[in-house]
Amino acid sequence: MKRILLPSLFTLIFSISCSDSTTVFVNGEDDIQMETNPAVLDNSINYDDSGVLDIYEEDQNIGVQSKSNDEQAGDYPLTLAAQVNPPSFNGGENLTASHVHIVGDYAYVSYNTIDSDYVGGIDIIYVGDPLQPRVTSRLYYLNADINSLKFDNGFVYAAGGVDAEKSVTASANSFVAKIAVSNGRFNLSSGIFYGFQEGFVANDIIITPSSVIMTSGRDGYVTEFDKNSLEIINETPYPDLRSLAMNNGQIAVLDASFGVRFLDANFAETRQIPIDSDFRLADKRTLDFSDEKVVVAEGSKGAGIYNTATGALIEHVPIPINPSEVAQTNIVTNATALNEDVLLMANGGAGLCLSEDNEGVDIVGIIELQGSINYVASRGDYIFAASGKRGLQIIKMNKPSDDLAARCADTPRYSGSANLRVGAQDELAYSGSRRLSNMSVDGALLLCGTWTVRNAVDISANALFELRGTLVTARNNRRRNFSLAENATVRIEGDLTVYGDLILGENARLEFLGDNSRINIFGDVRIAEGATVTGDFDDVQDKF
């Protein structure tokens, strides 16, 4: 690691207005480190738990969550693409992922320390191919927590907390830092700009075309900074701010002492939504807009959905019971995210809950993830979960593309058992986006769409299996094989991922159609005498 000491020789360029305790520096004397060892960055990517994710669905008979065995095949064939381990360095061994912002091909992830120490960090992660992410740049803060961040137009804006009594630079505990980024890497050649604001700790931030707006926690402010200079433009005090969001120029702040307050551009309050929930002291809570609704993370009460115009409660979404034993104090909704008609709830130790948000919210279940989920973001076909000491978890939703859905339109949708068995005399074809437990083919089967199989896939002697779309089998920490028996044929037009061995028996045939197919084998490829592999394909792991 290269230590970057930001000396006092850098110029103090602002000492200004609005709050007597607020000053803005270019750099300062506080201790920062940049990770420059490529091996450390590369080794941060973790595939140990990658693979098929089940969803704990509610068992109505016992009132808890359980994984399906011989139940119906489930929707949402999710897979864990990869994890990014939190930074760890001397003095910063207990960092937890606190926030993530996705822009273009990069994820920007913040880290803080849950105890009384002020230690944090920021990662820039290339997720242009989320199945093979790369940490491209990493910054350590030895004396500050980073609780939220946004990327905008070449800069990361990070909100955090620092012990002002121990810091040479800080004039208050809450700060915003403006850090230049170039080609996915931090560029500190021009230093780091800081703005400080009174408050317990800075906990959320949004960016407008001309300004940065930040909330600074208990006994703090909602503060607007000039985007270029970080000079304070406007500020208004509130008892206990936790989060803020903007929708069509409308600002909403979550005040844990009251509820949601809507503000105009000058921070004048226009209306309110009183909320009777225990937001607890200093816990992360968020709010998020969805059309004419605002979704509020309300701690132990789950998520509240309110009408933005009237303030009326539309629905409370409770926290499902997790099958693991979790302390009651850690079963809280910290954050929410929306992806089309999917509502995601980061429920701390109770995991990541997935629900369908159509006319009302229907809980699907809890995604099979490890770690305490502090924050969740979702974009396109991916979910990004900041999960405490487990770091960032990248989840692929495996939605069928519009083109694939059109090609599958003439094939009947599958609605059968999670254990898909095709008899020797059967010739079957199904479409869908489904998760299965087991799959065995003795006759002929065509699957069109996106599919996961939790366990092994067995293609019997002389059987035929055809795939148009995506199929993922097993997990890296619980490998199962994809086996073709003697004279079996498998045709792939799409993507096949196997967390286990691919086994081709005598005279078996593996055929790839088209020129865009891809195969990703995490185990070994075993090819018996007479077996053949034909067609053009991308061998991700170079196993052939």
Side-chain angles (χ1 to χ4, degrees):
M1 293 182 296
K2 179 175 68 175
R3 173 166 294 184
I4 299 175
L5 297 176
L6 304 179
S8 57
L9 294 178
F10 282 97
T11 306
L12 171 63
I13 62 168
F14 289 107
S15 179
I16 46 89
S17 71
C18 287
S19 173
D20 292 340
S21 61
T22 301
T23 51
V24 179
F25 291 81
V26 180
N27 294 336
E29 295 180 344
D30 290 334
D31 213 356
I32 295 172
Q33 292 179 354
M34 280 279 289
E35 182 58 75
T36 57
N37 186 341
V40 172
L41 300 181
D42 291 344
N43 291 335
S44 297
I45 306 300
N46 185 344
Y47 296 100
D48 290 351
D49 295 334
S50 294
V52 174
L53 294 172
D54 211 332
I55 296 179
Y56 294 92
E57 297 180 348
E58 188 168 8
D59 186 330
Q60 299 296 334
N61 295 320
I62 59 177
V64 298
Q65 304 291 314
S66 62
K67 282 181 276 189
S68 58
N69 292 315
D70 200 24
E71 303 296 328
Q72 293 291 102
D75 294 324
Y76 303 103
L78 307 178
T79 51
L80 180 65
Q83 293 175 256
V84 182
N85 295 329
S88 182
F89 54 94
N90 185 24
E93 293 85 5
N94 296 306
L95 266 62
T96 62
S98 57
H99 201 96
V100 57
H101 187 219
I102 314 299
V103 180
D105 288 337
Y106 292 92
Y108 302 86
V109 183
S110 63
Y111 301 90
N112 61 17
T113 304
I114 58 175
D115 56 27
S116 58
D117 293 333
Y118 287 92
V119 184
I122 305 173
D123 275 348
I124 303 177
I125 304 166
Y126 174 76
V127 291
D129 179 358
L131 297 176
Q132 295 182 300
R134 292 181 288 108
V135 180
T136 57
S137 196
R138 173 171 285 175
L139 182 68
Y140 304 136
Y141 269 91
L142 277 68
N143 64 342
D145 284 328
I146 308 297
N147 302 314
S148 182
L149 80 175
K150 292 290 189 298
F151 174 83
D152 183 80
N153 196 28
F155 292 91
V156 166
Y157 297 85
V162 64
D163 188 341
E165 294 183 358
K166 297 180 180 179
S167 169
V168 175
T169 304
S171 57
N173 286 357
S174 298
F175 71 88
V176 56
K178 179 181 177 181
I179 311 169
V181 173
S182 178
N183 297 319
R185 290 172 172 80
F186 290 113
N187 180 1
L188 303 186
S189 61
S190 299
I192 300 175
F193 285 68
Y194 290 94
F196 296 96
Q197 178 59 61
E198 288 295 331
F200 186 71
V201 63
N203 48 30
D204 205 1
I205 190 170
I206 58 174
I207 311 298
T208 77
S210 61
S211 65
V212 177
I213 303 175
M214 183 178 79
T215 49
S216 57
R218 186 156 48 89
D219 298 326
Y221 293 78
V222 55
T223 304
E224 183 178 14
F225 298 87
D226 179 89
K227 193 174 182 179
N228 294 319
S229 66
L230 295 188
E231 177 183 356
I232 288 181
I233 300 171
N234 191 14
E235 59 182 357
T236 300
Y238 284 102
D240 194 0
L241 294 178
R242 303 295 178 87
S243 182
L244 76 162
M246 177 175 283
N247 185 42
N248 296 325
Q250 175 179 243
I251 301 169
V253 296
L254 177 58
D255 180 357
S257 70
F258 174 81
V260 179
R261 302 178 186 272
F262 294 91
L263 313 177
D264 65 16
N266 297 315
F267 293 169
E269 203 164 309
T270 59
R271 61 189 186 282
Q272 307 168 336
I273 302 178
I275 296 176
D276 183 19
S277 290
D278 180 10
F279 290 97
R280 301 200 313 197
L281 182 65
D283 281 3
K284 189 179 187 75
R285 301 288 182 263
T286 68
L287 72 166
D288 192 17
F289 283 103
S290 172
D291 297 325
E292 300 303 316
K293 299 179 290 187
V294 61
V295 185
V296 182
E298 295 188 32
S300 60
K301 288 182 68 173
I305 303 176
Y306 300 86
N307 183 292
T308 54
T310 66
L313 173 66
I314 299 172
E315 187 173 1
H316 257 121
V317 185
I319 300 173
I321 300 171
N322 191 285
S324 303
E325 293 185 4
V326 180
Q328 191 65 36
T329 56
N330 201 23
I331 301 177
V332 288
T333 300
N334 298 313
T336 64
L338 293 153
N339 186 320
E340 295 181 350
D341 59 352
V342 170
L343 170 65
L344 298 157
M345 295 165 57
N347 290 335
L352 181 61
C353 178
L354 185 150
S355 299
E356 294 176 329
D357 184 14
N358 293 307
E359 296 301 321
V361 176
D362 295 319
I363 294 175
V364 176
I366 300 170
I367 300 172
E368 186 185 21
L369 294 174
Q370 300 295 317
S372 180
I373 312 301
N374 296 327
Y375 187 81
V376 60
S378 187
R379 189 191 69 176
D381 200 29
Y382 288 89
I383 300 168
F384 300 85
S387 48
K389 292 184 179 181
R390 302 287 295 193
L392 178 71
Q393 305 198 54
I394 303 173
I395 302 155
K396 193 172 191 294
M397 298 180 74
N398 294 304
K399 300 178 185 179
S401 66
D402 292 340
D403 176 66
L404 179 60
R407 288 193 293 145
C408 295
D410 295 333
T411 308
R413 292 185 62 80
Y414 183 70
S415 58
S417 169
N419 297 304
L420 175 55
R421 297 182 175 91
V422 180
Q425 305 304 314
D426 292 332
E427 294 184 11
L428 303 176
Y430 297 114
S431 67
S433 183
R434 310 288 276 168
R435 51 190 164 90
L436 306 170
S437 293
N438 301 281
M439 191 175 90
S440 59
V441 180
D442 295 334
L445 173 66
L446 164 66
L447 291 183
C448 191
T450 56
W451 307 78
T452 59
V453 180
R454 181 175 176 80
N455 296 308
V457 172
D458 294 307
I459 313 301
S460 299
N462 302 303
L464 170 65
F465 171 59
E466 297 177 280
L467 172 69
R468 296 176 191 160
T470 296
L471 174 66
V472 184
T473 71
R475 295 191 73 166
N476 213 16
N477 59 4
R478 190 180 47 78
R479 293 188 174 187
R480 300 291 186 270
N481 297 333
F482 189 111
S483 302
L484 286 69
E486 182 180 359
N487 292 314
T489 299
V490 170
R491 297 190 180 112
I492 306 294
E493 186 180 0
D495 291 355
L496 173 64
T497 299
V498 178
Y499 290 92
D501 294 347
L502 176 66
I503 303 170
L504 277 65
E506 291 185 8
N507 299 312
R509 294 177 295 278
L510 177 61
E511 303 172 2
F512 291 92
L513 307 180
D515 53 9
N516 293 312
S517 293
R518 183 161 82 161
I519 189 165
N520 192 3
I521 307 297
F522 280 78
D524 297 321
V525 175
R526 291 185 271 163
I527 303 177
E529 182 178 355
T532 59
V533 179
T534 60
D536 296 327
F537 62 96
D538 177 14
D539 178 13
V540 176
Q541 304 285 343
D542 294 324
K543 293 297 177 73
F544 287 85

